[in-house]
């Protein structure tokens, strides 16, 4: 099992084109840890904002009566991918992994695979 700090390092180092990463509690909107980002990307603000994205999607699914679980949410920008993966299991309920990728240098399928692997090993 991996800590938040180890998980963040694995997200960044193990994913080609990674720009920023966070582990976030979407019940509070608080980032448990962040890595990367910079003056053009405040990872803490982005993590809190993406909490609203998850809440809206969960609410919509409930209204539609969908009984499926969200695996991940992709937001595509002109030069970046923003990938959100909900953490499942007893240790991660209410958490999500957030990864920002440089669109020109990343492989989206491999990034999704890496986030799944990190999610499975995360211990909070």
């Amino acid at each position: 099992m991996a800590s938040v700090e180890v998980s963040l390092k694995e997200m960044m180092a193990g994913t080609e084109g990674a720009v920023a990463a966070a582990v976030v509690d979407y019940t509070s909107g608080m980032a448990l840890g962040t890595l990367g980002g910079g003056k053009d990307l405040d990872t803490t603000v982005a993590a809190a904002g993406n909490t609203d994205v998850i809440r809206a999607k969960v609410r919509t699914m409930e209204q539609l009566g969908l009984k499926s679980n969200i695996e991940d949410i992709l937001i595509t920008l002109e030069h970046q991918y923003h990938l959100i993966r909900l953490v499942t299991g007893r240790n991660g309920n209410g958490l999500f992994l957030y990864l920002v990728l440089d669109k020109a240098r990343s492989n989206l399928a491999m990034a999704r695979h890496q986030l799944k692997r990190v999610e499975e090993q995360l211990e909070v």
Side-chain angles (χ1 to χ4, degrees):
M1 293 294 168
S3 68
V4 169
E5 182 178 326
V6 169
S7 295
L8 290 168
K9 288 177 182 176
E10 287 181 6
M11 289 165 60
M12 291 292 288
T15 310
E16 183 79 25
V19 174
V23 177
V24 185
D25 176 348
Y26 69 80
T27 57
S28 68
M30 185 177 81
L32 303 181
T34 63
L35 193 59
K39 69 178 181 77
D40 294 330
L41 177 63
D42 185 329
T43 310
T44 304
V45 172
N50 283 308
T51 296
D52 294 332
V53 171
I54 292 173
R55 289 178 185 159
K57 187 60 187 171
V58 168
R59 188 172 48 252
T60 301
M61 289 176 64
E62 287 171 355
Q63 291 171 345
L64 293 171
L66 298 175
K67 302 294 183 209
S68 189
N69 293 320
I70 299 170
E71 288 183 14
D72 55 42
I73 297 171
L74 171 64
I75 300 169
T76 305
L77 303 179
E78 186 175 352
H79 299 289
Q80 295 177 335
Y81 292 122
H82 290 234
L83 191 55
I84 301 165
R85 180 164 185 97
L86 274 67
V87 178
T88 57
R90 61 182 167 81
N91 291 327
N93 201 13
L95 300 180
F96 70 90
L97 304 176
Y98 174 58
L99 183 62
V100 178
L101 302 164
D102 179 319
K103 199 172 176 182
R105 298 185 306 119
S106 63
N107 178 319
L108 187 55
M110 292 303 293
R112 289 182 70 219
H113 178 73
Q114 176 69 359
L115 281 187
K116 183 177 184 204
R117 192 178 71 70
V118 168
E119 175 209 355
E120 291 169 348
Q121 297 178 359
L122 179 65
E123 177 82 27
V124 180

